[in-house]
């Protein structure tokens, strides 16, 4: 599960960097509406980067369904790319059709959390 520690740390680094860029580099360059969209991307990026660290930690305790835990981590990564990524690009470009991609990332996030709940139910004693 060191993969998810690495991915989580990389994603958290990027979320902090992108948050700072939004606060200092984009303010006054994009509308407040798009700045809020950027902030939403950063918020979910940060949350699910932390979720990846949680996946690495829980993999030690949820031995009954290791494939589900691993899949949850990969779904969080896919969600970050699709959800946060589409919001970042939308905020920078204003291309509204990108909003159609965002819910796919949301489904990845939801599926990842559902798999963690499933894995907790399968926990071996």
């Amino acid at each position: 599960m060191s993969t998810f520690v690495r991915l989580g740390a990389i994603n958290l680094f990027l979320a902090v960097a992108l948050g700072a860029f939004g606060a200092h580099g984009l303010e006054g360059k994009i509308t407040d509406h798009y700045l809020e969209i950027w902030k939403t991307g950063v918020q979910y990026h940060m949350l699910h980067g932390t979720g990846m660290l949680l996946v690495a930690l829980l993999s030690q305790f949820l031995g009954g369904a290791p494939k589900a835990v691993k899949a949850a981590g990969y779904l969080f990564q896919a969600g970050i790319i699709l959800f946060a990524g589409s919001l970042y690009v939308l905020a920078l470009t204003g291309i509204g059709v990108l909003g159609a991609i965002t819910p796919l990332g949301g489904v990845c996030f939801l599926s990842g959390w559902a798999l963690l709940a499933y894995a907790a139910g399968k926990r071996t004693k």
Side-chain angles (χ1 to χ4, degrees), residues 26-103:
L26 292 178
E27 193 169 28
K29 294 188 172 84
I30 62 175
T31 67
D32 287 345
H33 171 72
Y34 285 122
L35 195 55
E36 284 302 313
I37 289 172
W38 183 273
K39 288 177 183 178
T40 299
V42 170
Q43 179 182 12
Y44 279 81
H45 194 161
M46 181 69 74
L47 177 65
H48 289 88
T50 304
M52 292 175 116
L53 295 179
L54 183 65
V55 162
L57 179 66
L58 289 177
S59 69
Q60 305 303 312
F61 300 103
L62 301 178
K67 289 180 182 178
V69 174
K70 189 174 184 179
Y74 286 119
L75 283 165
F76 288 161
Q77 182 62 55
I80 288 169
I81 292 166
L82 295 171
F83 186 91
S86 67
L87 292 180
Y88 296 144
V89 175
L90 173 62
L92 292 174
T93 67
I95 300 172
V97 72
L98 292 170
I101 296 170
T102 309

